[in-house]
Amino acid sequence: MTQFLVCRDADRLALAAADLFAKLARDAIAQRQRFAVALAGGSTPRPAYGLLAEEPLSGRIDWPRVEVFWGDERCVPPSHPDSNYRMTRRALLDRVPIPGGNVHRVRGELPPEEAAAHYRLELQMVMGGGGRFDLILLGMGTDGHTASLFPETAVLNDEECSFVAVYVERMGSWRLTLTLPTINAARHVVFLVSGESKAEALARVWSGERLPAALVQPAEGELMWLVDRDAAAGLVPG
Ligand code: 6PG
């Protein structure tokens, strides 16, 4: 099932996302004693991460039972300003009592293919074969990419691997990303989309254009779009 929630502004989007994260964590831990989540990079999710690091939400989450992964990473060291790991450490992980062994960093400092192979092994070890994420948080770019699944890249057709390295021509750089089969196996996938710069891409996705973000269709999971009014501007008829 796909749900679509339009929030008045970016602050309320962050609050809705943080509340949902805490609820899904509580439910997963109650049912399976673990909450396996893949965090999104970029700038949109950062305010929500900050809310999760503060009361009242932080105290509602049993952090030692949370396993943190990333949906994608740039091919940079963890200290690099572009690192998604660095952003989420500073916004959230350094501020909550999550054990170090529960934080599964993508080793962006390694050669891309080696980093991807290492992460596939880590996913296999922690999640087990066929393991499903309880939650995958995703953003969306102005071109409709999500994670590091960019338009017209071969990775969109990868049915074999859980996590791969991909050279993104339009960015002139390597990226590391979960693949669609892994994303679509998740129990819950939540897009966070904010700002008028995303309105055109969101309208294209919503109209059925097969942009990468539109290919996220969890087979047996729940899909939710949390957007703000500016991002939804292209969806309002007239
Ligand atoms: C990344 C993200 C990427 C991001 C979108 C939106 O590594 O950058 O995974 O997919 O979610 O580009 O980015 P913003 O939230 O900064 O607009």
Side-chain angles (χ1 to χ4, degrees):
M1 181 176 76
T2 300
Q3 292 179 284
F4 197 85
L5 178 65
V6 181
C7 301
R8 188 186 316 171
D9 54 33
D11 288 346
R12 284 168 181 76
L13 171 61
L15 194 54
D19 273 337
L20 179 59
F21 182 108
K23 177 192 179 305
L24 293 177
R26 197 167 50 244
D27 294 351
I29 292 166
Q31 291 163 29
R32 290 177 295 278
Q33 294 74 52
R34 180 175 81 169
F35 178 56
V37 58
L39 299 178
S43 57
T44 304
R46 194 164 38 218
Y49 296 158
L51 291 171
L52 287 167
E54 294 160 2
E55 296 305 343
L57 290 178
S58 177
R60 291 182 194 162
I61 297 171
D62 186 357
W63 292 103
R65 291 195 177 276
V66 178
E67 297 283 353
V68 170
F69 293 82
W70 277 261
D72 72 323
E73 186 55 281
R74 291 81 179 276
C75 291
V76 295
S79 57
H80 192 284
D82 288 349
S83 165
N84 288 334
Y85 169 81
R86 179 178 181 267
M87 181 274 285
T88 47
R89 274 235 78 107
R90 292 162 69 123
L92 174 59
L93 300 176
D94 285 347
R95 306 168 62 198
V96 294
I98 187 166
N102 291 31
V103 178
H104 305 285
R105 179 176 73 84
V106 181
R107 281 157 174 65
E109 69 278 17
L110 295 178
E113 295 297 353
E114 193 177 329
H118 177 277
Y119 214 57
R120 286 194 293 270
L121 192 58
E122 185 132 3
L123 282 164
Q124 173 77 24
M125 282 167 48
V126 178
M127 303 286 285
R132 300 171 66 192
F133 279 104
D134 295 299
L135 170 61
I136 297 179
L137 285 178
L138 294 172
M140 186 185 71
T142 55
D143 60 357
H145 82 260
T146 188
S148 285
L149 303 169
F150 286 81
E152 293 130 43
T153 53
V155 66
L156 293 172
N157 304 310
D158 190 316
E159 296 288 332
E160 301 302 318
C161 291
S162 58
F163 190 86
V164 297
V166 53
Y167 185 74
V168 185
E169 292 288 346
R170 65 178 66 191
M171 303 187 76
S173 64
W174 282 90
R175 286 287 193 96
L176 297 156
T177 187
L178 288 177
T179 56
L180 283 167
T182 307
I183 294 171
N184 284 332
R187 290 186 175 86
H188 297 271
V189 180
V190 177
F191 275 98
L192 308 181
V193 184
S194 171
E196 61 183 333
S197 69
K198 307 293 175 71
E200 189 251 343
L202 192 57
R204 290 169 62 194
V205 167
W206 219 245
S207 70
E209 190 174 341
R210 289 178 62 74
L211 296 176
L215 304 180
V216 174
Q217 298 285 346
E220 295 174 17
E222 305 275 328
L223 174 62
M224 176 174 273
W225 288 80
L226 286 181
V227 307
D228 66 11
R229 275 184 184 163
D230 287 344
L235 305 182
V236 177

